[in-house]
Amino acid sequence: MAVIRSNRPLDWAQVAAVAAGEPLELSADARARIAAARVLVEQIVERGIRAYGVNTGVGALCDVIVSPGEQRTLSRNILMSHAVGVGAPLGVAETRAIMAAAVNNFAHGHSGIRLEVADQLVALLNADCLPEVPAFGSVGYLSHMAHIALVCIGEGYVRFRGERLKGRDALQRIGLEPLVLEAKEGLSMVNGTPCVTGLAALALARAERLLDWTDMVASMSFENLRGQLAAFDEASLALRISPGLNKVGERMRAALADSGILAAVVGHRTQDPLSMRTIPHVHGAARDVLAATAEVVDRELASITDNPIVAGTPEDPRVYSQAHAVGASIALAMDSLATAIAQVAAMAERRLDRLVNPLVSGLPAFLAEPGGTCSGFMIAQYTAASLVAQNRRLALPASLDGGITSGLQEDHLCHATPAALKALEIIDNGGRIVAIELLAATQAYDLQSIDAPRAPHTEALWQRVRRVVPAYRDDRPLADDMSIAFRMIADEAPPPLPNPGNIGPRPVTSAGGAALTPPATLTRLAAAGHVRAAASGAVNDGQAAAHMA
């Protein structure tokens, strides 16, 4: 399927679909808007209207006038001087997400690039000929897009079919020529918030999947630890006003329906520990943050984030050289999402600790073979504790880091892109913590002393894990099993729950009206005309899940 940038901006789910490998297309009206904005820049140049980065320098050099004969040089030099990223390159999905968000921004029709520039980016994206973009070195948005833009002019490096190529050689491989940038194009290609919006879309997709898995893994731990189902009572949870909380309660009731283990322990305790009975409250709060963050990211994708913005008509061109490229709102949203996922993962580690602790679990110590020669999951819990601590450090708000750049001209910084990068790292760490809990909960079922059946859904989860990971007996490095479980959580959707219509109210949806699952997201996009089906017209659940990997 192709994601089409039409008269409507892309939303976060579409950007995530492109990041996962879907091609991107510009509709005729999007192309017309890009071309019309270029006419405005040409008029600004012809009339000598002062415009930041068009006929002036940039940053603290904004009052230095650049002559028409120097404007091509300015555009090229902006890319050269702004390509200052350091560290390991971003991954494929991250790079694709940023490029998709950049094309989306140009398609608003207020950037002023030529259509050839947008087409060059789309061609690179669709050929999977991806610029090498160092991950670090940006306080806002400049360096990442500069490294992407370098390839359009034949500079920089790309990864193409397993090879690292120079930009010029890569363009030749896919039948393109290096561009010579005109007035404003250099600045337009590094400006705006595509870096953070692209990365944020990816973070949303990964966080959504992780939360789905965390609910299900928590249900396994809850059953193994013989919790009291009253924690998920529908009438009780409805007293708290939170769409996320009530959605999680519904999911837990569905996952644990018909559990013989839990039926055997009804009323044995007045209440369970907080890491068990607050699953709806903590997971639900994270889902509420996810929905709020999705709204912010969609607003950002619908916004013009250039500096300067060109507007008006060819007869009366306007230039707004202000601050729309500052990503304060999305920086705050990314910090919030990162904290929410860190808290969910921290509680997963607490449930894991209960599973391996014989003083509270009623299970063999550390889920190990008896006799003292086996450590079982003892040290795996250390790994989870370490990742929780790492997440705590990462969750410090990037949006408050501040700093001063460009000779006091840029004396307030929001660090939006770094906020998104650390959110992605926290989500990955969270996935690893939940993967360890998944393995431990699966092992706990093998050691249960209660002779009663598991819930049908947790049985399906147990079988899914056991198809790829046998019971652990200290007979192999546990790290390998942890890696398999992490890839399962990162790359696949959990088994579908029983029909929600049979267990309670309708599923809570995101702000856009879509159930917070990857297949439903794609269904929404198709219904809205944003995603064109492949020739067969068929998309199964496995394919849909892959789009949000």
Side-chain angles (χ1 to χ4, degrees):
M1 295 187 295
V3 174
I4 301 172
R5 176 48 162 100
S6 60
N7 61 330
R8 298 176 59 185
L10 301 181
D11 65 19
W12 73 263
Q14 290 175 286
V15 173
V18 175
E22 294 299 332
L24 178 64
E25 292 182 9
L26 288 167
S27 68
D29 58 346
R31 297 173 68 82
R33 284 194 305 276
I34 293 171
R38 184 62 202 172
V39 173
L40 298 178
V41 172
E42 291 167 353
Q43 287 299 308
I44 289 165
V45 170
E46 184 176 326
R47 300 181 190 191
I49 299 169
R50 182 181 290 199
Y52 174 77
V54 179
N55 45 33
T56 77
V58 296
L61 302 175
C62 61
D63 292 324
V64 177
I65 303 301
V66 175
S67 69
E70 297 174 304
Q71 288 165 10
R72 281 186 174 180
T73 301
L74 173 62
S75 276
R76 181 179 178 85
N77 288 354
I78 285 174
L79 301 192
M80 298 299 186
S81 63
H82 288 49
V84 293
V86 296
L90 294 176
V92 168
E94 288 81 358
T95 305
R96 290 182 62 87
I98 291 172
M99 294 172 73
V103 173
N104 173 73
N105 190 51
F106 296 147
H108 288 309
H110 292 279
S111 299
I113 62 166
R114 288 168 297 153
L115 192 54
E116 297 96 296
V117 177
D119 284 341
Q120 189 97 308
L121 282 174
V122 170
L124 286 167
L125 184 61
N126 291 343
D128 221 23
C129 185
L130 301 179
E132 191 173 274
V133 185
F136 304 114
S138 177
V139 297
Y141 47 79
L142 297 171
S143 66
H144 295 81
M145 276 305 301
H147 283 277
I148 290 171
L150 280 178
V151 176
C152 293
I153 63 171
E155 301 290 342
Y157 292 91
V158 304
R159 289 285 176 178
F160 182 54
R161 297 178 180 173
E163 290 186 75
R164 185 176 189 253
L165 302 172
K166 290 185 177 180
R168 184 176 295 272
D169 296 334
L171 291 175
Q172 186 177 25
R173 289 274 188 99
I174 61 174
L176 298 175
E177 293 291 333
L179 297 173
V180 176
L181 298 183
E182 302 288 349
K184 194 182 184 297
E185 289 181 331
L187 182 56
S188 291
M189 293 189 79
V190 303
N191 217 331
T193 60
C195 300
V196 63
T197 48
L199 295 172
L202 202 57
L204 284 167
R206 292 176 180 175
E208 179 181 80
R209 172 165 289 174
L210 176 59
L211 290 176
D212 282 350
W213 268 106
T214 306
D215 289 347
M216 298 303 93
V217 175
S219 72
M220 299 173 75
S221 295
F222 188 92
E223 191 174 33
N224 273 299
L225 294 168
R226 306 165 193 178
Q228 298 299 301
L229 276 171
F232 311 127
D233 180 78
E234 183 176 7
S236 171
L237 293 180
L239 297 172
R240 184 116 191 205
I241 308 304
S242 163
L245 178 148
N246 286 282
K247 179 182 178 70
V248 173
E250 176 186 309
R251 288 170 58 78
M252 296 300 290
R253 291 192 298 275
L256 293 169
D258 301 321
S259 168
I261 295 174
L262 296 185
V265 297
V266 170
H268 284 202
R269 284 197 293 265
T270 303
Q271 64 179 21
D272 293 309
L274 284 171
S275 61
M276 296 168 63
R277 61 187 159 97
T278 64
I279 289 169
H281 303 74
V282 175
H283 294 196
R287 285 183 178 274
D288 289 342
V289 170
L290 182 78
T293 304
E295 290 186 12
V296 172
V297 176
D298 281 349
R299 286 201 303 268
E300 198 76 8
L301 287 163
S303 298
I304 293 91
T305 63
D306 292 74
N307 179 25
I309 292 168
V310 296
T313 65
E315 295 74 29
D316 184 23
R318 303 290 180 88
V319 181
Y320 301 108
S321 298
Q322 300 307 323
H324 281 1
V326 173
S329 62
I330 199 166
L332 291 166
M334 284 293 96
D335 279 342
S336 180
L337 180 65
T339 301
I341 297 299
Q343 183 172 118
V344 166
M347 197 165 78
E349 185 276 329
R350 290 292 78 213
R351 291 190 299 270
L352 167 66
D353 184 61
R354 300 191 76 83
L355 286 170
V356 302
N357 186 340
L359 299 178
V360 294
S361 70
L363 297 164
F366 309 111
L367 307 175
E369 292 289 312
T373 61
C374 294
S375 299
F377 283 77
M378 178 194 294
I379 310 303
Q381 186 264 329
Y382 289 30
T383 302
S386 172
L387 292 171
V388 168
Q390 175 70 359
N391 278 353
R392 189 180 300 115
R393 292 187 288 268
L394 288 168
L396 291 172
S399 52
L400 288 180
D401 283 348
I404 300 170
T405 57
S406 196
L408 294 178
Q409 180 69 5
E410 295 169 358
D411 57 356
H412 178 76
L413 305 173
C414 296
H415 296 270
T417 299
L421 286 169
K422 72 182 185 66
L424 286 165
E425 187 174 351
I426 284 172
I427 293 164
D428 274 354
N429 285 344
R432 292 184 173 92
I433 294 165
V434 174
I436 299 171
E437 184 189 5
L438 173 62
L439 291 174
T442 303
Q443 182 95 345
Y445 281 129
D446 298 331
L447 303 171
Q448 271 295 338
S449 59
I450 294 182
D451 185 18
R454 296 183 277 270
H457 189 72
T458 56
E459 172 71 21
L461 286 162
W462 177 84
Q463 290 180 1
R464 184 157 171 179
V465 176
R466 282 290 172 255
R467 281 196 293 268
V468 293
V469 178
Y472 188 68
R473 297 183 175 86
D474 287 55
D475 52 349
R476 59 189 183 273
L478 188 50
D480 294 344
D481 293 5
M482 289 158 54
S483 179
I484 292 169
F486 172 66
R487 291 275 32 114
M488 182 184 295
I489 287 172
D491 298 340
E492 306 172 17
L497 283 163
N499 182 1
N502 296 332
I503 58 159
R506 291 170 60 85
V508 177
T509 60
S510 69
L516 292 178
T517 63
T521 299
L522 289 176
T523 300
R524 171 171 63 86
L525 296 177
H530 289 312
V531 179
R532 189 178 64 210
S536 67
V539 180
N540 62 36
D541 286 346
Q543 290 170 320
H547 289 302
M548 294 294 110

